[in-house]
Amino acid sequence: ISIKVGGKVIIQGNTVDFGSLKTGDTLDKTFVIENTGQATLTLHGLPLATTGTHKTELKVLTQPESSIAAANSTNFKIRFAPTAEGQKTASVSISSNDTDKSPYVINLKGSAISDPPTVEITAPPNNATVTGVVDIKASASASRGVQYVKFYIDGTLKCTDYSAAYSCQWTPTDKDNGWHTVKAEVTDGGNNTASDSIDVFVDITPAQQPEIDITYPVGGEEWPVGSKQNISWTTIGTTG
């Protein structure tokens, strides 16, 4: 059994952070249960339910299938719906016939405030095609003050900027060609967070390998010992 959120594996016992949310708002996260074995994976104890201090504010919204064939998956959703300010915690436990990872416990947390920080990626635009150096820019604000803005490429931290205007420079290569997710995350003075994400398509033309064509000598020439001769050549392409 393997469980992912947003394409990333959640290690058994780790925490999924729902971030900061305005009181009264809701945020859903989808948990994908994958059968990585060769036999049918059977989930026990359904329906799933969260436990803990704030189980009513971090609760299971949709249920997974109970039987998952090899190399297949099912999913369930958890909704964060804070009713009052403060830090919220709960957990969900998934029991199965995978004895090595049963129960598979995942901790949950989030925070609720009346005025959460905000962040917006202002450049490049969503679904943009980029062909070289990418200047990522974001605007952020917070009533408690902005501590910093972090920029991620496909979930990997790329830059941390502590002062406005918030920006990050990314230099993809032709090996990065394809779709990528860019995320900006702001943290305010109360350690509350908010994020904004866009997708960009990298289309970098591979650098042409340099070629050297010797035009003189052409071969077969006989030069006296100690003489000086001019060698001519042409080049094609650029160094990579």
Side-chain angles (χ1 to χ4, degrees):
I1 184 172
S2 175
I3 301 180
K4 295 180 178 179
V5 176
K8 299 187 69 174
V9 174
I10 306 302
I11 298 174
Q12 190 175 12
N14 278 12
T15 299
V16 174
D17 189 354
F18 282 75
S20 301
L21 203 62
K22 185 177 181 179
T23 304
D25 287 350
T26 62
L27 176 63
D28 298 340
K29 284 186 179 288
T30 300
F31 293 68
V32 178
I33 302 175
E34 296 181 341
N35 181 355
T36 56
Q38 297 180 343
T40 298
L41 176 67
T42 302
L43 304 184
H44 304 309
L46 299 182
L48 294 178
T50 54
T51 60
T53 305
H54 304 105
K55 62 182 181 181
T56 60
E57 295 173 273
L58 285 157
K59 59 184 180 181
V60 178
L61 185 66
T62 62
Q63 294 290 331
E65 299 291 332
S66 61
S67 182
I68 311 160
N72 280 266
S73 65
T74 184
N75 66 73
F76 64 96
K77 291 183 179 180
I78 291 181
R79 171 168 289 179
F80 180 36
T83 58
E85 291 192 2
Q87 298 292 322
K88 314 293 180 179
T89 60
S91 64
V92 63
S93 179
I94 300 96
S95 296
S96 71
N97 60 342
D98 184 342
T99 55
D100 292 332
K101 296 181 179 179
S102 182
Y104 201 119
V105 177
I106 298 175
N107 298 309
L108 311 167
K109 74 174 183 178
S111 62
I113 55 177
S114 57
D115 53 348
T118 61
V119 63
E120 180 183 8
I121 296 176
T122 57
N126 190 32
N127 295 325
T129 296
V130 297
T131 58
V133 176
V134 184
D135 290 314
I136 308 167
K137 299 179 181 180
S139 61
S141 62
S143 62
R144 296 167 176 80
V146 174
Q147 287 196 63
Y148 47 78
V149 173
K150 291 185 175 182
F151 294 89
Y152 297 83
I153 308 297
D154 297 328
T156 299
L157 180 63
K158 180 66 178 176
C159 307
T160 301
D161 198 342
Y162 293 87
S163 59
Y166 304 100
S167 64
C168 177
Q169 191 172 87
W170 174 38
T171 307
T173 68
D174 59 277
K175 294 181 180 179
D176 299 308
N177 282 350
W179 286 101
H180 297 273
T181 298
V182 178
K183 184 177 80 169
E185 182 182 76
V186 60
T187 299
D188 72 6
N191 291 322
N192 302 296
T193 62
S195 64
D196 184 35
S197 297
I198 63 168
D199 294 319
V200 297
F201 187 81
V202 175
D203 186 12
I204 306 292
T205 301
Q208 184 177 2
Q209 293 298 315
E211 298 179 6
I212 298 177
D213 182 21
I214 297 176
T215 57
Y216 182 81
V218 296
E221 291 85 353
E222 293 184 3
W223 294 339
V225 175
S227 64
K228 295 182 179 180
Q229 305 293 331
N230 291 322
I231 299 175
S232 303
W233 67 88
T234 60
T235 59
I236 303 174
T238 57
T239 58

